[in-house]
Amino acid sequence: MKNLKTKPDLPSENSDKPYSNFFSWRRKLKNQILSSCLSSSHFEKEYEQLRYVLERTIKYGESDSALIIGFKGVGKTLLLNSALKSFKDTVENDFITVQLNGLVHMDDNLALKEIIGQLHLDELEGDRVAGSFSDNLLFLLHSLKTGDKETSKPVIFILDEFHLFCYHRNQTLLYNLFEAAQASYAPICVVGMTTRIDVTELLEKRVKSRFSHRTILLLPAPTDIERMQLFKSLLCIESESGRRKDKFVQNWNSSVNNLCGNSEVKEVVEKLLFHDISEKSFRSFLLYLVSQLSVSNTTGASLTAEDVLECYENWSQDDKVSILQGLSTLELCLVIAICHQMELYDEVPFNFEMILQRYLNFARQSHSVKIGERSVILKAFERIQALELIIPVSGMAGRSGLKEYQMYNFILRKDQVQKAIQAYPGLQTDVIQWSKSSLD
């Protein structure tokens, strides 16, 4: 950060000098950004829907099933945990949760053993859990069947990454869990969480028929104003009770309040919201911003618009641009040729021969670029493919199946290529000029 420089002689935290406890406040800010609850104000309706489903199982012993659908970081787990916590606060509503994750429990046998372990059924039956899959499944179903609404504790099965369970063989686990919920052997509720909005289409017919088709969609639409309010609430520091008013806190909070009215900062927040509406992503940006701060000059520390803008530039650095900057001159020239090809022919797929001719036309007119052997140019083209800057078009292998005629699509934008060229060290002038023109 430009205005926050670390001085060689730092005052101790016990010193009375202002801003001597900067590091402790920075640590407090980090904890505040990380540990404070995610905002769920957008999901009040969805929260009530989920709570109703859980209430029917926990309070009244009615089995059910539901799916929570939303992209990563939207707050699916937060919503579920908040709803469950509301029941845990009352002693009379005692229940058991069984948590599974499709990334960890990659087949039904692993998932089944985990269920038995979390229900502590293995303690009742010794090494029964070490049996075959069919034995363990029968054991679990028998345990559920022997329960009833009056004597059994409600069991909430939580299946994170639910769509991955759909790829298990015959979907046996899902079928039996939904069957148990439908048959009401004991009060159970199956709650799946997934990012796939089409997840029900992955269910087999027999499984889908036993699912309640309760789906809770988390589609947040935070506004710029709400995101600025979050910016202010996460960065402002609350003075500890019983402690004298800290001058650093006063200056810091004043600077944050001023930033909330700054047009450049508002633009940064709008860009962050446009690219990713996830609150987790926004908190990660603020954490990165706070982590970059250091002790300022003797007049005091404050957050400025320049700090936010500089942080955003580093934060928003395009990985694909970084990859382009690591290419050789020949490889970059091929990328420029591809970019021209796609621009002139309206995104029509291309092959190596097309790009080769476009590159050779430029190289013959250039005084700084030497024409290499065909095999060397092909090798450079293959490296571009290996970096996944171009992707093959399925079903378009070209004549005789030769790799030179395989058709490809370009996945980069022209502005990404131009940005990489501007930052490329020592690039020849005629290559730069060629990149700016498609008339070659």
Side-chain angles (χ1 to χ4, degrees), residues 238-385:
E238 294 184 9
S239 298
E240 298 177 3
S241 59
R243 185 171 179 174
R244 64 180 176 82
K245 204 75 171 180
D246 194 306
K247 188 176 180 182
F248 169 78
V249 175
Q250 291 178 329
N251 280 22
W252 176 268
N253 289 345
S254 177
S255 68
V256 172
N257 289 329
N258 291 335
L259 288 181
C260 291
N262 185 284
S263 59
E264 292 180 321
V265 174
K266 287 182 178 179
E267 185 178 354
V268 167
V269 173
E270 290 173 4
K271 288 179 180 179
L272 290 169
L273 183 60
F274 177 78
H275 289 294
D276 190 348
I277 63 177
S278 167
E279 187 175 320
K280 275 188 176 180
S281 175
F282 184 66
R283 285 172 180 256
S284 297
F285 170 76
L286 295 183
L287 183 65
Y288 178 71
L289 171 63
V290 172
S291 299
Q292 299 302 305
L293 300 178
S294 58
V295 177
S296 72
N297 54 40
T298 56
T299 61
S302 62
L303 190 63
T304 66
E306 288 74 15
D307 298 327
V308 178
L309 292 173
E310 182 180 344
C311 182
Y312 177 73
E313 288 179 5
N314 296 332
W315 176 264
S316 59
Q317 186 174 2
D318 196 328
D319 291 338
K320 292 186 177 65
V321 174
S322 300
I323 293 175
L324 288 174
Q325 292 174 354
L327 298 180
S328 66
T329 303
L330 173 59
E331 292 162 349
L332 187 61
C333 285
L334 293 180
V335 168
I336 295 172
I338 293 171
C339 192
H340 289 173
Q341 179 77 19
M342 299 297 285
E343 183 181 1
L344 290 172
Y345 292 94
D346 297 326
E347 309 296 324
V348 174
F350 58 88
N351 59 31
F352 169 73
E353 292 295 335
M354 298 176 185
I355 304 306
L356 175 63
Q357 291 305 315
R358 188 165 295 280
Y359 165 73
L360 291 177
N361 290 340
F362 161 72
R364 293 189 185 105
Q365 301 173 12
S366 173
H367 299 290
S368 60
V369 177
K370 294 182 179 180
I371 301 177
E373 297 182 5
R374 177 188 173 92
S375 59
V376 175
I377 301 175
L378 178 59
K379 204 71 175 177
F381 186 84
E382 290 175 344
R383 182 165 185 266
I384 295 174
Q385 179 191 355

Side-chain angles (χ1 to χ4, degrees), residues 93-117:
N93 295 318
D94 195 12
F95 61 93
I96 302 171
T97 58
V98 175
Q99 300 190 25
L100 302 175
N101 191 303
L103 294 171
V104 178
H105 308 101
M106 296 177 289
D107 59 58
D108 284 349
N109 197 26
L110 285 173
L112 196 56
K113 289 181 178 180
E114 182 67 21
I115 293 173
I116 293 174

